């Protein structure tokens, strides 16, 4: 029904308008009596799922919603009803910010891809914290945290600490985002010295607590092998819990969409099918060169059970979807779970 009726309707609108319309509909279903329950009955296929223990958490299935779709934690209960095993919100910054000028989200239909330059638009950590306190489902939630655009890189660690402390009691794990291409200078924080400083500071803050929360690092698919080896060293030295690979790419090679169209869109991070092989290679490299010393959550170009299985076979323990979910709809979750379940029994 999604691909034949709802997607053609939503794709009549500009991508960001379609996003807001979708969230309006989700919130409407959520407040209608039995709406969420009926939605769960249609989409949530528990028979095709098996729980995974990771980071000291019990994930009911391996399929999560990647950060960027529900930035402000507005529809967590509905995503839980769809059958996701976990939801990652954000990227969240200490202060609310509008993000980059519009238009800033674009579809590449021939490539089943998106280009975005959103710029960490979000309601700010205080508002999002209150929203999380009101959610009804017990789905695992990850807090993807970043810095405000106006915060200089040398003070970035302070923004990450603010978000960490504010969200500590309302999320199940944290993701440090230094890999978005849409905040000026942010990717410079992926270099070994500033990144080690941020992660070590967060780990010290974490260890002050009676019970710690998992901390993961989200990395770009555009890192060199030398930089990836640095990431392995940093993860092992700081003793954070794992890596999410990967964020969007700035690479535009091999696209089916015309070069003229892509050039007219301009800057931004590319997600969807074109990043599939690039992200898989990063996962495989990290897993093999680290000897599997830390868990990896795989994301990038997952639009089917087969593409999710490819990530798992390359070393990922869990997967996340974003662009594939936009193009394939909620049925993608159960399709992936079914493929992974059948593969596990072979």
């Amino acid at each position: 029904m999604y691909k034949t009726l709802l997607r053609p309707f939503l794709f009549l609108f500009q991508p960001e308008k379609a996003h807001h319309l979708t969230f309006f509909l989700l919130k409407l279903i959520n407040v209608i009596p039995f709406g969420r329950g009926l939605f769960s009955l249609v989409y949530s296929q528990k028979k095709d799922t098996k729980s995974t223990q990771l980071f000291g958490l019990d994930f009911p299935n391996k399929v999560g919603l990647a950060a960027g779709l529900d930035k402000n934690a507005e529809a967590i209960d509905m995503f839980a009803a769809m059958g996701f095993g976990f939801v990652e919100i954000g990227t969240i910054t200490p202060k609310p910010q509008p993000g980059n000028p519009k238009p800033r989200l674009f579809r590449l239909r021939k490539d089943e891809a998106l280009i975005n330059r959103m710029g960490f638009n979000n309601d700010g950590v205080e508002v999002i914290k209150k929203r999380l306190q009101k959610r009804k489902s017990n789905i695992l939630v990850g807090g993807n945290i970043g810095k405000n655009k106006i915060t200089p890189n040398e003070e970035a660690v302070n923004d990450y600490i603010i978000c960490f402390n504010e969200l500590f009691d309302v999320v199940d794990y944290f993701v440090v985002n230094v890999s978005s291409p849409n905040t000026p200078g942010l990717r410079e924080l992926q270099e070994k010295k500033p990144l080690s400083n941020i992660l070590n500071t967060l780990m010290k803050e974490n260890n002050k607590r009676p019970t710690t929360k998992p901390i993961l690092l989200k990395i770009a698919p555009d890192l060199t092998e030398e930089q990836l080896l640095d990431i392995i060293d940093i993860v092992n030295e700081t003793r954070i819990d794992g890596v999410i690979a990967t964020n969007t790419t700035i690479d535009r090679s091999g696209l089916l969409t015309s070069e003229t169209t892509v050039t007219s869109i301009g800057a931004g991070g590319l997600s969807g099918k074109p990043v599939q092989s690039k992200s898989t290679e990063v996962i495989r490299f990290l897993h093999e060169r680290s000897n599997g010393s830390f868990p990896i959550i795989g994301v990038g170009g997952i639009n089917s059970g087969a593409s999710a299985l490819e990530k798992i076979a390359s070393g990922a323990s869990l997967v996340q979807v974003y662009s594939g979910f936009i193009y394939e709809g909620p049925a993608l979750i159960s399709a992936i779970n079914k493929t992974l379940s059948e593969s596990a029994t072979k």
Side-chain angles (χ1 to χ4, degrees):
M1 187 176 73
Y2 174 83
K3 292 177 75 173
T4 56
L5 295 176
L6 190 54
R7 189 181 73 179
F9 170 70
L10 291 172
F11 276 25
L12 293 173
F13 299 89
Q14 292 294 323
E16 195 163 352
K17 288 183 179 179
H19 172 86
H20 291 306
L21 177 58
T22 301
F23 270 68
F24 170 78
L25 293 173
L26 288 175
K27 287 186 275 189
L28 182 63
I29 294 169
N30 194 40
V31 298
I32 293 173
F34 308 112
R36 189 168 71 248
L38 289 172
F39 208 81
S40 179
L41 198 63
V42 172
Y43 286 110
S44 186
Q45 303 294 323
K46 291 183 173 58
K47 66 180 181 180
D48 293 324
T49 67
K50 185 178 179 182
S51 65
T52 298
Q53 282 67 45
L54 201 65
F55 318 124
L57 300 172
D58 185 19
F59 292 82
N61 66 65
K62 294 180 184 291
V63 186
L65 180 68
L69 193 64
D70 194 2
K71 288 175 178 285
N72 294 308
E74 294 179 287
I76 288 177
D77 294 331
M78 286 303 298
F79 287 118
M82 290 180 202
F84 278 108
F86 58 109
V87 172
E88 194 170 306
I89 60 168
T91 295
I92 303 161
T93 56
K95 298 175 182 177
Q97 58 182 27
N100 292 323
K102 299 176 183 179
R104 54 194 181 181
L105 183 60
F106 309 87
R107 298 186 195 98
L108 276 60
R109 296 195 197 188
K110 291 180 180 178
D111 295 283
E112 296 179 40
L114 300 170
I115 290 177
N116 92 83
R117 49 172 178 270
M118 305 301 289
F120 288 177
N121 56 307
N122 73 104
D123 293 338
V125 71
E126 291 183 11
V127 170
I128 293 170
K129 177 182 179 180
K130 291 176 182 176
R131 209 168 275 148
L132 285 166
Q133 290 169 334
K134 296 177 182 178
R135 67 188 178 97
K136 294 179 174 64
S137 63
N138 60 357
I139 190 171
L140 293 174
V141 175
N144 186 301
I145 57 177
K147 79 173 189 73
N148 280 113
K149 184 177 181 179
I150 61 172
T151 303
N153 277 1
E154 54 270 23
E155 298 175 17
V157 66
N158 299 325
D159 280 13
Y160 289 95
I161 290 296
I162 290 169
C163 291
F164 179 83
N165 286 327
E166 286 293 321
L167 295 173
F168 191 88
D169 293 328
V170 291
V171 300
D172 297 287
Y173 69 89
F174 286 93
V175 181
V176 176
N177 188 355
V178 290
S179 54
S180 169
N182 303 318
T183 296
L186 184 75
R187 285 193 170 189
E188 294 171 11
L189 296 176
Q190 289 183 122
E191 297 300 325
K192 195 166 188 178
K193 186 175 179 181
L195 183 54
S196 294
N197 178 48
I198 290 170
L199 296 178
N200 277 319
T201 305
L202 282 171
M203 286 298 288
K204 286 178 183 175
E205 199 70 23
N206 200 17
N207 289 327
K208 293 177 184 177
R209 308 275 181 160
T211 304
T212 60
K213 293 283 174 77
I215 297 176
L216 289 78
L217 171 68
K218 189 164 188 177
I219 63 171
D222 307 309
L223 299 176
T224 64
E225 287 193 0
E226 183 180 358
Q227 288 173 314
L228 288 172
L229 291 172
D230 281 344
I231 293 295
I232 293 170
D233 288 341
I234 290 167
V235 172
N236 289 326
E237 288 168 8
T238 60
R239 304 187 73 176
I240 64 167
D241 295 86
V243 167
I244 297 184
T246 62
N247 211 319
T248 57
T249 181
I250 56 174
D251 185 16
R252 298 290 190 267
S253 59
L255 294 175
L256 299 175
T257 304
S258 72
E259 186 176 347
T260 302
T261 299
V262 174
T263 301
S264 69
I265 289 172
L270 173 71
S271 63
K273 195 172 181 179
V275 81
Q276 180 181 334
S277 60
K278 187 186 285 277
S279 66
T280 301
E281 285 308 308
V282 170
I283 292 165
R284 183 177 290 113
F285 183 92
L286 290 175
H287 182 68
E288 291 178 354
R289 298 299 286 268
S290 71
N291 295 314
S293 63
F294 52 82
I296 301 168
I297 297 179
V299 56
I302 298 174
N303 61 358
S304 64
S307 55
L309 186 59
E310 180 185 75
K311 294 286 193 287
I312 299 295
S314 299
S317 299
L318 303 169
V319 296
Q320 291 178 324
V321 296
Y322 181 127
S323 300
F325 178 72
I326 301 298
Y327 281 92
E328 298 296 322
L332 177 63
I333 308 159
S334 59
I336 292 173
N337 277 318
K338 184 178 181 181
T339 299
L340 297 183
S341 178
E342 290 174 349
S343 174
T345 58
K346 288 181 181 178

